[in-house]
Amino acid sequence: MSLKPEDIYTHENSMKWELNESMPDFVARPLVLEIVKKYSSKDKSLLDVGCGTGRWTKKMAVDYESVVGIDSVKAMIDISKKLNPSDNITYSLVDMFELRALNKTFDVITALSVIQYSVDNVQFAGLIKQIFDSLNTGGHFVFWVPHPMLIMMNTSNWEKCKFEEGSSYFSNFPFTGKVRLTNGDWKNIGANFHSIQEYLNTLVNAGFKLVSFNEPSISKEFVEKYPDMEPDSRYPSFLVVDVVKE
């Protein structure tokens, strides 16, 4: 069994992503934005893999000459074009496992909570190799994913996961669940589990050099606003990684 984005993100669920916020909007995504801004200039290009509704694609696009946002879910692309257009952004319905079909290279590639949809280490390695090949020399790949321990511990007050009993940290397995929005609503999620060592070893084997590796959690300000989230501040909720193709 494996989970694909289109199995989870209906038009209704996609709109929840656009109209509401969840904890990653206050921690992981701003950190990616901060990193991406360091490499921006008006003569550089950016590819956002799994752009979703385009809200964060548009934020990242401000300081780039040209930006391409791709997603395999038609509902996401439709919303992106309608609600988050920009003269320097092109949104396209493209599966991330078919990056070579773009026939382009970029200065920066981002992936905000999407590469975990790889069903096993073979498909994951293939995806990372395509990302490597789609970067110009000196280009950066910046991404975030839910921290693997967040999923395995399954004690978070913002993300609740379901997976088969006996699933191991050292194996790939599908999981479903829900993420709490700041308005109190919940949205459906689903992906496939990968360990930290799989993420890092696959990046290195593809030829990437590690620039930064972050394990952020929620801020004190966030806990003050949502006190029941205090237990989540005691351990990392995300992996935010920056690697370069030298």
Side-chain angles (χ1 to χ4, degrees):
M1 176 186 175
S2 63
L3 287 169
K4 298 179 180 179
E6 53 266 34
D7 297 330
I8 299 293
Y9 304 116
T10 62
H11 188 274
E12 179 182 0
N13 203 43
S14 298
M15 282 303 297
K16 286 185 179 182
W17 284 84
E18 175 60 29
L19 299 177
N20 300 284
E21 295 177 314
S22 63
M23 189 174 36
D25 291 301
F26 298 89
V27 184
R29 292 185 178 95
L31 181 52
V32 169
L33 184 62
E34 178 183 325
I35 295 171
V36 166
K37 279 184 173 293
K38 293 192 302 183
Y39 307 126
S40 65
S41 72
K42 289 300 183 181
D43 63 347
K44 288 189 175 181
S45 59
L46 181 146
L47 169 65
D48 188 19
V49 177
C51 64
T53 64
R55 180 153 51 100
W56 285 87
T57 310
K58 191 172 183 179
K59 291 177 186 290
M60 293 188 290
V62 172
D63 297 312
Y64 284 83
E65 178 183 29
S66 62
V67 173
V68 175
I70 65 168
D71 206 289
S72 63
V73 180
K74 186 177 183 299
M76 293 288 198
I77 294 298
D78 290 344
I79 294 169
S80 297
K81 291 179 177 179
K82 182 177 180 179
L83 298 182
N84 291 299
S86 179
D87 290 342
N88 65 333
I89 303 177
T90 300
Y91 294 112
S92 298
L93 185 65
V94 177
D95 193 295
M96 68 178 175
F97 300 110
E98 302 295 335
L99 289 185
R100 291 190 180 94
L102 293 173
N103 197 30
K104 294 180 65 175
T105 57
F106 301 84
D107 297 302
V108 175
I109 296 179
T110 58
L112 281 60
S113 191
V114 293
I115 62 174
Q116 68 270 26
Y117 285 104
S118 306
V119 299
D120 55 35
N121 54 9
V122 174
Q123 189 181 53
F124 182 59
L127 170 62
I128 297 303
K129 184 61 168 64
Q130 286 196 70
I131 291 174
F132 184 86
D133 292 342
S134 299
L135 276 170
N136 296 323
T137 300
H140 287 257
F141 174 42
V142 185
F143 69 90
W144 79 265
V145 292
H147 199 288
M149 289 309 299
L150 175 80
I151 299 167
M152 289 299 298
M153 291 169 61
N154 204 20
T155 58
S156 172
N157 284 323
W158 77 272
E159 179 169 310
K160 303 297 183 182
C161 300
K162 295 180 180 179
F163 44 83
E164 291 184 4
E165 185 176 351
S167 296
S168 167
Y169 177 87
F170 300 102
S171 64
N172 304 123
F173 59 85
F175 66 90
T176 58
K178 292 182 179 295
V179 168
R180 194 178 78 178
L181 305 174
T182 52
N183 69 350
D185 196 4
W186 291 78
K187 61 185 176 186
N188 296 325
I189 60 167
N192 296 284
F193 182 86
H194 301 273
S195 66
I196 294 177
Q197 67 179 14
E198 183 182 348
Y199 282 120
L200 292 181
N201 287 338
T202 303
L203 290 164
V204 171
N205 291 339
F208 282 112
K209 179 180 179 180
L210 183 65
V211 176
S212 65
F213 178 88
N214 300 277
E215 298 178 283
S217 187
I218 56 179
S219 65
K220 292 181 179 179
E221 291 76 18
F222 192 87
V223 172
E224 289 174 359
K225 191 172 183 180
Y226 304 98
D228 67 321
M229 300 292 287
E230 191 278 333
D232 287 82
S233 67
R234 303 175 192 175
Y235 52 84
S237 297
F238 313 99
L239 296 180
V240 181
V241 182
D242 175 13
V243 291
V244 63
K245 175 181 179 177
E246 293 188 324

